[in-house]
Amino acid sequence: MTMNIMSDSPLRQLRCVYLAPVGIYLASWLWLPAAWLWPVLLLFCLLCWKRAVSLRLKTAYRALMQAIGIHLGCQLLALGALMMAGKYNHGGLFSGAGAQNFGYLIGYLLLAAVLALAGTIWPAVRLVRSYRQLMTVQEAQP
C-alpha cells in the first residue's frame, strides 16, 4: 500500500496544484495582496514541469501554466484599460471635447470589463478541460 501512495505522489501533487488557482482567486478577492501568489504558483508549476518525467504530467503542468498566464495577462490588460479610462475621466459631457472623452471613457471601461471577464472564464474552462483530460487518461491506465 505504501508503494502505491509513493508512486501516485506526482499525480497527487498535480491535483493539489490544480486546486491552488481556485484558492488564490478567492483569496485575492478577499485580500488583494494574495494576488502576489499568482507568480509564485507560476514559478512552482515551472519547477514541477522541469522535474516531471512523464509526458502527461508535463502536458498538465504546461496547460496549468498557460491558464495562469492567460489569467494574469488579461487581468493586467484590463488594469491598463482602466488606467486609460481614468485618463479621459475629466471635464463633463457638455464641455468642449466632453462627448469625445465620454466615448473614450465608456469604450475603455467596456474593454476592461470584457478583458476581466474573459481573463476569469477562459482560463477556468481550460483548467477544467485539462483536468478532465488528465483524469480520463489516468483512469484508462491500469
Side-chain angles (χ1 to χ4, degrees):
M1 182 170 165
T2 305
M3 201 63 156
N4 189 13
I5 291 174
M6 294 304 283
S7 66
D8 204 29
S9 180
L11 189 61
R12 180 174 293 143
Q13 179 184 6
L14 183 62
R15 286 178 181 167
C16 291
V17 170
Y18 264 97
L19 287 176
V22 175
I24 293 173
Y25 182 75
L26 293 176
S28 65
W29 273 99
L30 297 175
W31 188 55
L32 191 59
W36 283 102
L37 292 173
W38 286 114
V40 173
L41 181 63
L42 193 60
L43 289 174
F44 180 74
C45 288
L46 181 65
L47 181 68
C48 290
W49 176 76
K50 286 186 177 261
R51 277 197 265 154
V53 290
S54 71
L55 183 61
R56 65 185 168 98
L57 288 177
K58 281 190 174 281
T59 304
Y61 280 119
R62 189 181 68 233
L64 188 60
M65 288 188 295
Q66 287 173 347
I68 293 170
I70 289 170
H71 176 71
L72 289 178
C74 285
Q75 296 301 325
L76 287 174
L77 286 173
L79 179 66
L82 283 176
M83 292 172 78
M84 285 300 294
K87 180 179 175 183
Y88 294 105
N89 189 17
H90 60 81
L93 185 58
F94 301 109
S95 66
Q100 186 177 7
N101 287 344
F102 185 72
Y104 287 141
L105 175 71
I106 295 297
Y108 281 121
L109 288 176
L110 286 175
L111 177 65
V114 167
L115 284 170
L117 189 63
T120 302
I121 293 174
W122 186 21
V125 169
R126 286 181 58 97
L127 281 177
V128 169
R129 191 176 347 149
S130 66
Y131 184 77
R132 283 185 181 170
Q133 183 181 13
L134 177 71
M135 290 302 119
T136 55
V137 168
Q138 180 63 23
E139 290 172 359
Q141 290 183 351

